[in-house]
Amino acid sequence: MAVIVHQVARPHEWPDTGDFAYVKIPDPVPGPGQALVENLYLSVDPYMRERMDTDDLGIPLEGRSIGRVADSRDPRLAPGDLVFHRQGWRSHAVVAPEDVRILPRAPGVPVTAYLGVLGGTGLSAYVALTQVARLREGETVFVSAAAGGVGSAAGQFARLLGAGRVVGSAGSAAKAAYLTSELGFDAAIDHRAGDLGGRLAAAAPDGIDVYVDNVGGDHLEAAIDALLPHGRVAWCGAVGQYNTPVPPAAPRNLFDVVGKQLRLEGFLVRDYGHLQPELEEFAIPHLRAGRLVAAETVTEGLDGMADAFIAMLRGGNVGKMIVKL
């Protein structure tokens, strides 16, 4: 029997496991021009929380997945092929060739990297730095939620792209220590310790040129204070407000965007899929050489999908959160 995970209720503030139902169904059968994929790894991402407020109930959440072709009725997909698709929270998926990407077997590159530093997570970080902020060599970069999937990639990419100093914020002292000891950040802040603005000023005493924002709220306010004239903000996410019905107050220093002539730009990674080959050309040699860490937290079992999702929202992961089936 196959298993699919349905969203059955809309959360009020934080989601809980009762918002989901695990449903057993007969194994799907592919039709002409289709293939049956047995999923191996499922991505867990902060944006899924926003979709819980808008997607239809009674269906699985959309999400990135890696699986192996088990049965095929199309010559373009062969049994045993590893494929990437977006059919989300389920054990099996019926796909058409145009809906998937056959993944290369790259020596020295874990397949889970195609959900993390080589997937939409890594592409978000790469786009933020190269297309939105247009990072220049020697500049100082600040990354919020830096121990998460996008943040851990952004900090490492910034260093590999020639940043002069990389500072990250994280939700515990242990995570902050991980950023500097394992991922090559020059400094890291435990934002739960208070006085975020003061701690950022101490970590970047000469100011910052680029801010990669995954949080919003108080982090954006602190970054605006620290940004140098003509600094840039690449706004990727706002995990600090996904689970509250009342958005945080706008940064009190927002008008400094004018006075400092800053640029604040949001983006959606789905508009940058054409840069996937460029990301891989950049990142794979660094992965193989050990200069880039595919930071990830992997939990086991589809029956723990909802638990992994909630844990990720509460900061229970380091790097990319992935569920192994």
Side-chain angles (χ1 to χ4, degrees), residues 7 14 66 91 96-97 99 159 174 195 211 235 239 250 265 313 318 322 325:
Q7 181 190 346
W14 292 90
I66 291 174
S91 63
D99 298 328
R159 175 172 48 80
D195 189 19
Y211 172 44
W235 201 345
V239 70
E265 182 178 344
L313 290 175
V318 172
I322 295 171
L325 274 62

Side-chain angles (χ1 to χ4, degrees), residues 87-236:
Q87 289 201 28
W89 295 25
R90 62 184 78 212
S91 63
H92 297 74
V94 173
V95 302
E98 58 269 22
D99 298 328
V100 305
R101 177 191 176 206
I102 299 176
L103 296 177
R105 308 292 181 102
V109 177
V111 66
T112 51
Y114 288 97
L115 294 178
V117 293
L118 298 180
T121 297
L123 188 59
S124 296
Y126 187 76
V127 166
L129 293 166
T130 65
Q131 305 300 305
V132 181
R134 299 178 186 176
L135 174 66
R136 294 186 286 268
E137 189 170 351
E139 291 188 318
T140 296
V141 179
F142 174 46
V143 182
S144 58
V150 173
S152 61
Q156 294 185 87
F157 287 175
R159 175 172 48 80
L160 294 168
L161 288 165
R165 185 169 179 80
V166 181
V167 179
S169 74
S172 71
K175 286 185 176 182
Y178 175 79
L179 295 179
T180 55
S181 65
E182 302 295 330
L183 300 188
F185 283 67
D186 295 289
I189 302 162
D190 172 10
H191 69 82
R192 298 188 190 278
D195 189 19
L196 177 60
R199 291 175 185 276
L200 177 57
D206 296 323
I208 63 175
D209 301 284
V210 169
Y211 172 44
V212 179
D213 193 3
N214 297 299
V215 175
D218 60 344
H219 277 73
L220 179 56
E221 182 172 302
I224 290 172
D225 270 347
L227 277 161
L228 296 167
H230 302 285
R232 291 89 69 203
V233 177
W235 201 345
C236 181

Side-chain angles (χ1 to χ4, degrees), residues 30-49:
Q34 296 179 324
L36 175 65
V37 173
E38 181 179 3
N39 284 332
L40 303 175
Y41 299 98
L42 302 180
S43 178
V44 183
D45 297 284
Y47 79 86
M48 294 173 173
R49 173 61 186 85

